[in-house]
Amino acid sequence: MDGEAGKYDLRTITQFIRQETKPVPFGEYGDSDGWNGISVSAHYLTDCLLHEYKHQEGAITKLLQGTFGQAFRSDHTRKVARKVTFSSGTMSSYAVMNENWMILSWVMVQSETEKSLKPMYEGVAHRYNTAGIEKAHYQRVDRDCCAAFKVAESYTGEHMNWDAWTTTNGIVADATTGDLLNTCASRSHYNKNIIIKLDLFHCLRWFLRECVSEHHPLYSSFAQFLSAAFSVVDQEDLQRLKEANAFCGIQPANPTKAHIYEHCRTRIPQPEELAKRVKGVFQHFYLATDQNGVPLFKPSMLKTFSAYTSCAGA
C-alpha cells in the first residue's frame, strides 16, 4: 500500500490507492489473490515491470540481438559432431566465442574449410551492423594463422642434435617466404582489418601431440614446464595479494597456488621472452627418455618446434 501511495518514488499508472485499509482475511491455501491477508495490486506490479524494463532497456535490447565482443576465439571440434549422425557423413562443429567465453555463433559444417564458414561470418557481420556496434579487431584461431607458411622436413636423427633446434634468420626467411596475410572467412566476410593470431592453448596442444604417449613418465613434467613457459603470474597482482594476506594476519603471507589462480591475473610474455622460455624447456627435454630408453619426443617434434619459432621470429 505504501508503494501504491508513492512512498518509494514509484507511483502507479492509475494512481490507484486502496480504499480499504483493513487487510482482507487470509483465504484458503489455494487462494492466489492474497497471502496472509495482504495482496499486491496488479497496477503496481505492472508499473514495477515497466520501470525495470526502462532501466535495463539497453541491456535487454543487446541480449535480444545477440552476444557481442571485441576479441574472438574460434575453435574446430568434432566431439559434439560425433554425437550427431547425418546422411552427409562426418561433420565437425565450429564455435566463435568472445573475450568473456560467451558463444557468439556455433555451426555444424561438413568440411573444415574457410568456404563453409562464409554464411556464419556474414551473419555475425549483419548482427554487428544492425546493432550499430563496432566490430571485433582481434581473433585467436586454432590453426592456419598464416596464409603461406612452410617448414622443411627434418632428416632421420636430426632431432638428436641441439644445433638443429636453433632457428636462424635464414630458416625464418625460408619458412615465411610469400604472403603471410591470412585469408580466412572472418577477414573476407566479417572485418577485413581483423588481426589473426594463433591461440596459445592450441599451440601448446601442437607440442603435446608430438610426444610419444600421454602415458610416458616424463609427459606430465613436460606439460607443466611448457604451460609455465607460456604464461606468468602478474607480479603486481601477486604483491598486492601478499600485502592483503599480511594485513589480514594470514600466516604465512605467501599465498597458495589456488589463491594465486583465483586472485591474480596471468599474462603472456612478449614474443622474444616467450620464445626464449619455450626454447629453454625443449633444451631440457629434447633428449629425455624413460628408464627403458623410450624417448619423450617423436622425431616430428623438431618440425613443429621450427614452425613455432619461425612464426614467432617473423
Side-chain angles (χ1 to χ4, degrees):
M1 289 189 293
D2 289 339
E4 290 177 348
K7 184 176 180 179
Y8 305 110
D9 298 326
L10 183 64
R11 301 182 64 86
T12 59
I13 298 175
T14 59
Q15 305 301 309
F16 174 79
I17 300 178
R18 186 195 299 272
Q19 299 298 322
E20 179 64 41
T21 57
K22 181 180 178 180
V24 297
F26 183 70
E28 298 294 331
Y29 180 78
D31 183 9
S32 60
D33 295 329
W35 179 82
N36 206 21
I38 299 176
S39 61
V40 180
S41 166
H43 301 278
Y44 180 68
L45 289 177
T46 302
D47 281 351
C48 287
L49 291 173
L50 290 174
H51 180 269
E52 187 65 19
Y53 171 74
K54 291 179 180 179
H55 178 67
Q56 300 190 30
E57 183 176 4
I60 293 175
T61 301
K62 288 185 177 181
L63 183 62
L64 292 175
Q65 291 176 337
T67 305
F68 301 93
Q70 290 302 306
F72 287 172
R73 180 181 180 274
S74 56
D75 186 16
H76 293 84
T77 180
R78 293 189 178 183
K79 291 183 179 180
V80 178
R82 278 199 296 258
K83 299 182 182 297
V84 181
T85 302
F86 288 96
S87 58
S88 56
T90 305
M91 300 181 68
S92 64
S93 63
Y94 182 82
V96 177
M97 294 162 281
N98 63 11
E99 57 271 27
N100 298 317
W101 294 92
M102 301 174 67
I103 296 178
L104 275 72
S105 187
W106 181 85
V107 293
M108 298 282 285
V109 293
Q110 287 183 280
S111 61
E112 297 182 357
T113 61
E114 293 297 326
K115 183 178 180 180
S116 63
L117 301 176
K118 172 183 174 182
M120 187 205 70
Y121 278 111
E122 288 179 343
V124 175
H126 177 71
R127 185 196 306 174
Y128 272 74
N129 293 333
T130 302
I133 296 177
E134 186 180 6
K135 293 180 180 179
H137 295 283
Y138 302 93
Q139 183 177 16
R140 294 283 180 178
V141 296
D142 58 345
R143 63 186 188 188
D144 302 329
C145 56
C146 301
F149 193 82
K150 298 179 180 180
V151 177
E153 296 288 345
S154 57
Y155 57 82
T156 303
E158 185 181 10
H159 65 286
M160 303 295 292
N161 183 9
W162 176 247
D163 291 339
W165 296 78
T166 304
T167 304
T168 63
N169 294 333
I171 294 176
V172 173
D174 292 339
T176 57
T177 301
D179 186 10
L180 296 182
L181 185 64
N182 190 293
T183 55
C184 60
S186 60
R187 176 168 283 155
S188 58
H189 300 290
Y190 171 72
N191 181 8
K192 65 180 181 179
N193 297 318
I194 195 168
I195 299 174
I196 308 296
K197 296 289 185 180
L198 176 66
D199 183 78
L200 288 183
F201 172 79
H202 288 92
C203 184
L204 179 64
R205 290 298 304 163
W206 282 4
F207 291 138
L208 295 180
R209 282 198 297 265
E210 296 303 325
C211 291
V212 172
S213 171
E214 294 182 1
H215 304 290
H216 194 283
L218 297 176
Y219 177 87
S220 178
S221 298
F222 172 68
Q224 291 179 5
F225 275 89
L226 194 60
S227 178
F230 270 70
S231 62
V232 294
V233 177
D234 189 288
Q235 294 302 307
E236 293 183 1
D237 288 354
L238 181 60
Q239 182 60 33
R240 284 195 290 265
L241 181 58
K242 291 180 179 179
E243 293 173 355
N245 285 353
F247 178 80
C248 296
I250 300 176
Q251 295 296 335
N254 292 330
T256 62
K257 290 184 178 180
H259 282 157
I260 293 175
Y261 179 79
E262 182 179 0
H263 299 290
C264 298
R265 292 170 294 182
T266 57
R267 68 176 183 86
I268 306 300
Q270 293 299 316
E272 292 183 2
E273 180 186 355
L274 179 61
K276 182 179 179 181
R277 292 166 64 91
V278 173
K279 184 177 180 180
V281 175
F282 276 87
Q283 189 172 9
H284 180 76
F285 283 97
Y286 82 105
L287 292 177
T289 60
D290 63 7
Q291 59 185 2
N292 297 322
V294 179
L296 172 63
F297 293 163
K298 299 176 183 177
S300 56
M301 175 69 88
L302 176 59
K303 181 179 179 180
T304 302
F305 177 80
S306 300
Y308 163 78
T309 52
S310 298
C311 186

